[in-house]
Amino acid sequence: MVSRRAFVLGSAGVGGALVVGWSVMPPRQRLLTENPAAAVPGEHTFNGWVRIGSDDRVTVLLAKSEMGQGVSTALAMVLADELDADWSKVRTEPAPVDRIYNNLAMVVDGLPFHPDDDGTLKHFLGWMTAKTMREVGVMATGGSSSVKDLWMPMRQAGSSARAMLVSAAAQTWKVPVGAVTVRSGVVHHLDSGRSLRYGELAERASRELIPTRTVLKKPAQFTLIGKATRRIDTPVKIDGSARFGIDVLPPGLRYASLVMSPTLGGQVARHDGAAAAAMPGVAKVLAVAGTRGGSGAVAVVADTPWHAMQAARKVSVDWTPGPAAGLSSAGLMQRLAQALDGDDGFGYQSRGDVRGALQGAARTLKAEYRAPLLAHATMEPMNCTVLLKDGQATVWAPSQVPDIARAAAAQALGLPTERVTVNVTLLGGGFGRRLEVEHVAQAAAVARELPGQPVQTFWSREQDMQHDLYRPPCVARYEAGLDAQGRIVAWRATSAGPSIVQQYLARQWGLPAAGPDKTTAEGAFDQPYEWPAVRVGHVIVDLPVGVGFWRAVGHSHQAFFKECFLDECAHAAGQDPLAYRLALLQRHPRHRAVLEAVARAAGWGQPLQPAADGAPRARGFALHQSFGSIVAQVAEVSVSPADKSIRVHRIVAAIDCGLVVNPAGVRQQMESAIVYGLGAALHGEITLRDGRVEQSNFNDYPVPRMHECPKIETVLMQNLEPPEGVGEPGTPPVAPAVANALFALTGQRLRSLPLRLA
């Protein structure tokens, strides 16, 4: 046992220790925050992750943002299981900004290694990256990493608090610790029949020495983990008490509506706000420079959203066009295609003599694939509320990166970061969009001009659609060599597109654009197929369009390219798509098991009945690994005889994501990811004309409607491997599964997204 102070100081290491010594030590502890936790009346802090109230209520501190993905439930389940808490007494609240909450797994998984690589270099760099991110990383929700990142910290936090409660009870009863048991929030001494609720012990237990080591449960002992559990955030969303960013209503709140640059990256040259300032309720009209990837704007601050929006119509603005001025979608895709003409890019995977194997192949296939810009289209448009008062600032933001949001607000306000407090609200959708903070910087710049008054800056749906940081466009060229039996002897894939990571590092920290970016080629190079000879590369093309992390990132389009071209190879070989894939996975039993499970569930190989209107139906297959999880999908499609529209009737999915924490949550996320991916497959496209985004709302950037939603069935593979990602892996296989089904049905090979039949 150690004291809290000794725990922190001891974990930090001795000053002046050699770097070599530091490198072999494990990452610093993630149990206690650096700054003392704020006192909460009636509640007692056990560590940086859990408080227990005298009323038995257990509060789990969430370092990950809840944006509909169910992370608040999954992480609370993990901690509560090790704590042996009464689940009905568990609640969650956002954690403050602190380094113990930094996301280690997301950055480690971003290293450009193949999943099959088990080498020393991969392990060493992963180790060093985790240690470094613990100290200088970011507190982020992304990369489907939440449960993976906090699987051990949450378990250790729950187990540690449980041990402290047991110790306090044993001392109270003057019995050995081994004579005490716990169950569902109650501590028992079986020999005497005595018991104490957690709430009765909380005050004394919270003063116990923190155990340096505890025994974690074995999977057979889990009482919550692995059980389908209702989401902890559902009741507040049903009764309307849930607070999203746009629901923040501090006393005296004013609202800022915006007039934004018509071209991407444009800035205000001059503006006339006199007419707007004379409108009812208007407090101020001011120009705001676009920073951190944003465009310039004029903000109109008023007492109600309506007054602000109406007055904004009266503002006259002259704009300085941004770097995208004059850019069209056709020109953009042409630049990407031209980049592939003389450059094979940075090689992310290279094995064997690809050129020789292609020259000696009995047959070669070539194809070019394309994917457009995509918007995130979150249900809650960008918004942020800021109060600057007495040299301190409070920010309310639905953010995936609260510490970067804090830094952006502090810079805009001219304050040290320690004088800025960020309160993370529920997010009305994220999908990577709220990893960006240009709207936070913008809101802080507006609030700086109205000190002492909270100001909520909000975007319209049209502004949200036309000033996103988009999913990158991409062009890819594939080539495969087949032997006389139709087996692949060589596989070459090269793609071109902008780098998200390079842009993100530049706009958040001013770092120069340099080096490879795994996200550009993920989904192409990091797959399990056992090619005899393979070369996968990517050419980074700098474009004057802001791009950002979009659900499944590079996997979202690279899976379409790879799985469709593999289907082309199977067709050329005259072989069944399922059997063709299985033959390429001889050393990957988990992938084979997923394929076989989805094939059984979907009835692969069995006749399909026509659709209700008599139109024939067909199936398509796709397998993809992303964020540590293996997903296979079978899509059943038909084409409407009336208007030739594509209809998806059923999607069957199987996922191996390691140990399943909440089966209900995994199924919900698979359904969400499939519907999101279906929208991109059938409809999603952002187009540019003269540097302006042509789409404005859901009328011209449609998402799947209820009548378009297919029947979705999910098979969960069961194993005890550590949990992997769930929020994104369901998206990448959707488009290729649908496209491959359409080829089976119509004979048309569609190589561009969104899918459109001739």
Side-chain angles (χ1 to χ4, degrees):
M1 297 286 185
V2 294
S3 69
R4 291 175 186 273
R5 179 175 176 80
F7 189 100
V8 175
L9 294 178
S11 301
V14 179
L18 295 174
V19 171
V20 173
W22 180 81
S23 69
V24 299
M25 294 174 63
R28 206 150 58 95
Q29 63 86 19
R30 299 180 74 186
L31 197 59
L32 294 174
T33 55
E34 295 180 4
N35 299 310
V40 178
E43 297 189 13
H44 309 282
T45 300
F46 283 71
N47 51 59
W49 303 93
V50 62
R51 298 194 309 264
I52 300 177
S54 300
D55 59 357
D56 297 329
R57 186 165 59 180
V58 174
T59 300
V60 177
L61 281 298
L62 283 179
K64 308 299 182 185
S65 301
E66 178 58 70
M67 47 189 164
Q69 81 278 40
V71 69
S72 55
T73 303
L75 292 176
M77 287 173 65
V78 172
L79 188 147
D81 203 319
E82 291 286 355
L83 180 60
D84 272 311
D86 178 350
W87 180 248
S88 68
K89 302 290 176 58
V90 177
R91 69 180 189 113
T92 64
E93 71 176 45
V97 173
D98 192 276
R99 285 194 289 185
I100 71 162
Y101 305 128
N102 287 351
N103 192 324
L104 279 54
M106 182 178 72
V107 185
V108 172
D109 286 351
L111 296 173
F113 290 99
H114 194 285
D116 292 347
D117 187 344
D118 197 36
T120 302
L121 179 61
K122 178 181 179 180
H123 287 286
F124 174 73
L125 290 180
W127 178 266
M128 293 300 294
T129 299
K131 286 174 62 64
T132 303
M133 290 303 101
R134 165 61 178 83
E135 307 305 323
V136 297
V138 295
M139 185 176 166
T141 306
S144 294
S145 63
S146 293
V147 173
K148 180 175 182 176
D149 182 53
L150 296 182
W151 170 244
M152 289 307 295
M154 296 299 266
R155 292 183 68 192
Q156 290 163 350
S159 178
S160 173
R162 177 182 181 273
M164 294 163 71
L165 287 158
V166 167
S167 177
Q171 292 182 51
T172 300
W173 294 325
K174 295 181 172 51
V175 300
V177 167
V180 177
T181 62
V182 296
R183 185 175 63 253
S184 193
V186 180
V187 184
H188 301 273
H189 182 232
L190 297 180
D191 291 345
S192 65
R194 289 175 290 183
S195 64
L196 287 169
R197 294 178 291 101
Y198 279 6
E200 295 175 298
L201 284 166
E203 182 177 7
R204 176 169 182 169
S206 67
R207 299 197 302 268
E208 286 285 314
L209 296 177
I210 295 175
T212 54
R213 159 169 323 199
T214 60
V215 178
L216 300 178
K217 288 183 177 181
K218 292 180 171 57
Q221 298 172 301
F222 292 151
T223 57
L224 287 171
I225 296 171
K227 306 293 191 300
T229 304
R230 291 184 178 179
R231 286 178 46 159
I232 206 167
D233 57 330
T234 297
V236 295
K237 291 178 177 176
I238 291 176
D239 66 22
S241 62
R243 190 172 71 162
F244 295 84
I246 212 159
D247 297 322
V248 171
L249 298 171
L253 179 64
R254 293 178 182 266
Y255 300 87
S257 182
L258 302 164
V259 182
M260 296 182 72
S261 167
T263 59
L264 293 172
Q267 300 289 346
V268 177
R270 63 190 64 83
H271 74 283
D272 183 354
M279 295 281 286
V282 173
K284 201 169 190 68
V285 180
L286 66 147
V288 182
T291 62
R292 297 183 180 253
S295 300
V298 174
V300 178
V301 184
D303 56 351
T304 69
W306 177 253
H307 283 154
M309 290 188 290
Q310 290 302 107
R313 298 173 183 269
K314 301 293 185 179
V315 175
S316 174
V317 191
D318 292 331
W319 301 98
T320 300
L327 185 66
S328 69
S329 294
L332 183 150
M333 300 306 286
Q334 183 179 15
R335 287 172 64 172
L336 298 184
Q338 288 173 343
L340 292 173
D341 290 340
D343 192 344
D344 59 0
F346 178 85
Y348 286 86
Q349 185 184 21
S350 184
R351 184 177 63 250
D353 181 7
V354 175
R355 179 174 297 179
L358 286 170
Q359 291 175 346
R363 181 179 181 182
T364 58
L365 299 173
K366 292 183 179 181
E368 181 176 289
Y369 291 87
R370 298 189 172 201
L373 291 162
L374 289 179
H376 295 82
T378 61
M379 288 297 99
E380 179 188 21
M382 297 299 101
N383 66 88
C384 180
T385 302
V386 180
L387 169 62
L388 173 63
K389 186 176 182 180
D390 301 329
Q392 305 279 335
T394 303
V395 177
W396 294 266
S399 177
Q400 294 176 241
V401 281
D403 50 354
I404 298 179
R406 181 174 71 164
Q411 184 180 47
L413 294 167
L415 294 175
T417 54
E418 58 268 21
R419 293 189 183 178
V420 178
T421 299
V422 173
N423 299 304
V424 178
T425 66
L426 291 171
L427 283 60
F431 315 123
R433 178 63 180 97
R434 288 183 162 95
L435 289 167
E436 305 295 341
V437 296
E438 84 283 16
H439 60 290
V440 176
Q442 182 188 69
V446 174
R448 183 184 57 200
E449 302 303 314
L450 290 97
Q453 301 177 61
V455 182
Q456 182 178 108
T457 301
F458 61 94
W459 293 18
S460 67
R461 170 61 60 196
E462 289 75 13
Q463 290 166 343
D464 191 75
M465 191 74 70
Q466 296 177 336
H467 290 276
D468 202 342
L469 289 153
Y470 302 95
R471 199 278 302 272
C474 193
V475 174
R477 290 178 183 162
Y478 276 71
E479 185 174 8
L482 309 184
D483 66 12
Q485 289 73 44
R487 294 172 300 205
I488 295 175
V489 296
W491 179 274
R492 180 160 61 195
T494 311
S495 54
S499 165
I500 299 171
V501 170
Q502 288 187 4
Q503 284 199 18
Y504 194 83
L505 293 176
R507 60 180 172 253
Q508 305 306 344
W509 294 287
L511 297 176
D517 172 4
K518 177 196 173 186
T519 70
T520 60
E522 64 183 4
F525 84 93
D526 49 1
Q527 296 306 295
Y529 296 119
E530 298 153 10
W531 320 117
V534 59
R535 206 273 180 181
V536 178
H538 183 84
V539 182
I540 292 178
V541 181
D542 188 23
L543 297 174
V545 177
V547 295
F549 301 97
W550 191 91
R551 193 173 192 172
V553 203
H555 294 281
S556 67
H557 48 275
Q558 293 286 5
F560 169 68
F561 306 156
K562 177 260 301 177
E563 285 296 298
C564 285
F565 190 63
L566 185 56
D567 227 59
E568 293 198 43
C569 293
H571 179 73
Q575 296 185 27
D576 174 75
L578 170 61
Y580 204 69
R581 287 170 171 81
L582 287 170
L584 289 165
L585 296 167
Q586 297 300 312
R587 300 188 301 275
H588 291 80
R590 290 177 68 179
H591 297 78
R592 290 176 62 89
V594 171
L595 277 172
E596 290 165 348
V598 79
R600 285 193 301 270
W604 183 262
Q606 299 176 14
L608 263 176
Q609 295 298 315
D613 58 2
R617 291 192 292 172
R619 296 186 183 96
F621 218 107
L623 169 74
H624 196 74
Q625 179 174 345
S626 62
F627 307 98
S629 293
I630 307 159
V631 176
Q633 292 180 11
V634 174
E636 296 179 6
V637 307
S638 72
V639 176
S640 169
D643 59 7
K644 303 302 179 183
S645 61
I646 299 167
R647 301 179 301 191
V648 182
H649 300 274
R650 180 187 183 213
I651 292 181
V652 181
I655 179 171
D656 181 343
C657 57
L659 189 149
V660 177
V661 173
N662 183 6
V666 174
R667 286 193 170 89
Q668 290 163 4
Q669 276 301 282
M670 286 296 291
E671 291 166 4
S672 166
I674 287 169
V675 173
Y676 199 75
L678 190 62
L682 300 182
H683 307 302
E685 185 177 26
I686 288 292
T687 57
L688 303 176
R689 177 178 294 179
D690 295 327
R692 301 184 180 201
V693 173
E694 295 186 289
Q695 289 70 30
S696 62
N697 210 312
F698 292 124
N699 63 308
D700 49 14
Y701 189 86
V703 296
R705 268 53 173 183
M706 291 295 289
H707 73 276
E708 294 179 290
C709 187
K711 180 181 180 182
I712 299 173
E713 302 166 34
T714 301
V715 178
L716 305 182
M717 308 299 288
Q718 300 295 330
N719 61 59
L720 298 179
E721 295 296 321
E724 295 288 352
V726 170
E728 295 167 275
T731 294
V734 178
V738 172
N740 291 336
L742 285 168
F743 174 76
L745 184 67
T746 68
Q748 293 187 48
R749 185 64 72 178
L750 305 181
R751 299 191 180 99
S752 294
L753 292 173
L755 301 172
R756 296 189 177 111
L757 290 167

